[in-house]
């Protein structure tokens, strides 16, 4: 049964059908599929397929945009269904997508899962300037600064964030975690970030480990 839902979720995203994506998300949750499983086995493979079709020139910007809208709708429904753990605040996290980058679906999933795991999270949204990450982290009393990037052209902003923290004498005050499709552990090591996470679950795990 779950397989049917996963296939329907994938199809809704590929077709860019927001209504069907929403219905499938609700149906999957009603049938008892765990929110992140539904996301990872249904919707994410769908949007990845869209990314591949875009890269190979089978679809163009309008197709990418309608699929993204369907994905955003599904993400909204699934994020709202992530069960909150009733535990005390684990730490404060400031998170955003770096300047020049408008991709925020993955980052938003990370935010939802962190909140569900008892973190106090300040989501800066997308296209976030380095100074904003730092100013807000200072005011919020953050322990962690998380940055997301989906574009290879904006990966350098994560490097600049590390440099700016060092320049302002703040680098040791925070733990930094980086993510996004083109980001790797190797990249994190290279720029001096404290952790890399490949997905939302891994993000929560790594952030918990950093706070120990
Ligand atoms: C949806 C999408 C869009 C949507 C974004 C909508 C939105 N609200 O986010 C729209 C249509 C706006 C868009 C625009 C563009 N896009 Co686009 N897009 C995608 C697509 C298909 C999916 C991204 C996505 O949502 N994935 C699903 C989520 C769940 O995965 P994720 O983001 O990787 O996040 C997970 C992990 O990485 C991790 N994670 C992510 N961030 C963080 C942060 C932290 C702190 C942690 C711990 C973890 C973590 O956890 C997440 C959850 O598990 C990708 C292809 C792909 N497969 O990545 C292309 C892709 C990223 N886009 C691409 C391009 C080229 C563009 C445009 C430049 C197109 C254009 N010519 O205008 C513009 C860029 C605009 C801009 N300035 O940003 C290219 C990038 C190529 C490159 N090498 O840089 C890709 C790879 C497509 C391709 N194959 O060519 N895009």
């Amino acid at each position: 049964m779950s397989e049917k839902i996963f296939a329907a979720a994938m199809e809704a995203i590929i077709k860019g059908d927001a209504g069907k994506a929403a219905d499938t998300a609700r149906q999957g949750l009603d049938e008892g599929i765990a929110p992140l499983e539904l996301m990872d086995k249904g919707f994410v493979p769908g949007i990845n397929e869209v990314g591949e079709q875009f890269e190979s020139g089978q679809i163009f910007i309008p197709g990418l945009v309608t699929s993204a809208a369907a994905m955003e709708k599904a993400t909204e429904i699934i994020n709202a269904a992530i069960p909150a753990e009733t535990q005390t605040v684990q730490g404060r996290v400031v998170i955003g997508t770096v300047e020049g980058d408008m991709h925020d679906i993955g980052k938003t999933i990370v935010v939802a899962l962190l909140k569900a795991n008892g973190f106090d999270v300040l989501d800066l949204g997308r296209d976030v300037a380095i100074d904003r990450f730092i100013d807000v982290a200072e005011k919020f009393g953050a322990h962690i600064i998380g940055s997301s990037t989906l574009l290879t052209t904006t990966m350098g902003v994560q490097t600049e964030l590390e440099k700016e923290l060092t320049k302002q004498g703040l680098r040791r005050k925070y733990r930094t975690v980086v993510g996004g499709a083109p980001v790797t552990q190797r990249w994190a090591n290279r720029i001096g970030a404290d952790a890399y996470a490949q997905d939302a679950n891994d993000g929560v795990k790594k952030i918990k480990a950093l706070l120990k």
Side-chain angles (χ1 to χ4, degrees):
M1 199 61 196
S2 305
E3 295 307 320
K4 256 189 165 171
I5 297 280
F6 297 149
M10 193 171 172
E11 193 189 307
I13 300 304
I14 293 170
K15 285 195 174 153
D17 185 338
K20 189 177 174 201
D23 290 345
T24 309
R26 287 191 198 100
Q27 196 187 340
L29 294 168
D30 285 350
E31 287 182 15
I33 304 175
L36 277 189
E37 189 185 5
L38 184 51
M39 183 49 83
D40 289 344
K41 295 190 178 160
F43 294 105
V44 169
I47 198 75
N48 284 341
E49 170 64 25
V50 170
E52 277 163 31
Q53 290 184 3
F54 176 72
E55 198 172 358
S56 64
Q58 286 168 263
I59 59 161
F60 301 97
I61 298 286
L64 186 64
V65 170
T66 45
S67 288
M71 186 71 184
E72 284 165 11
K73 191 71 213 162
T75 307
E76 197 185 301
I77 293 166
I78 287 182
N79 282 349
I82 296 176
E85 279 182 25
T86 47
Q87 44 190 341
T88 46
V89 173
Q90 298 241 9
R92 281 184 294 277
V93 183
V94 162
I95 188 168
T97 300
V98 301
E99 186 162 19
D101 191 342
M102 302 301 164
H103 296 85
D104 67 353
I105 293 170
K107 182 265 306 160
T108 307
I109 298 172
V110 176
V111 169
L113 200 65
L114 281 169
K115 284 184 177 166
N117 276 274
F119 285 91
D120 207 355
V121 186
L122 214 155
D123 182 359
L124 298 174
R126 52 194 177 182
D127 193 21
V128 181
I130 292 169
D131 287 349
R132 183 127 194 275
F133 273 105
I134 299 175
D135 287 353
V136 175
E138 284 288 283
K139 288 185 187 123
F140 186 52
H143 304 102
I144 303 276
I145 300 178
S147 63
S148 177
T149 182
L150 269 282
L151 298 171
T152 44
T153 47
T154 51
M155 287 171 77
V157 182
Q158 291 181 328
T159 317
E160 294 309 315
L161 175 60
E162 295 291 328
K163 285 190 183 156
E164 191 57 33
L165 283 169
T166 305
K167 196 172 136 199
Q168 294 189 24
L170 296 170
R171 183 60 191 87
R172 302 179 82 150
K173 190 171 171 185
Y174 300 105
R175 293 281 169 272
T176 56
V177 51
V178 289
V183 177
T184 57
Q185 181 62 56
R186 212 168 144 205
W187 172 252
N189 295 344
R190 195 169 130 195
I191 69 172
D194 294 306
Y196 152 74
Q198 63 176 11
D199 57 31
N201 266 322
D202 191 33
V204 171
K205 209 170 79 191
K206 298 273 173 67
I207 289 174
K208 280 184 177 167
L210 285 175
L211 291 173
K212 270 199 184 129

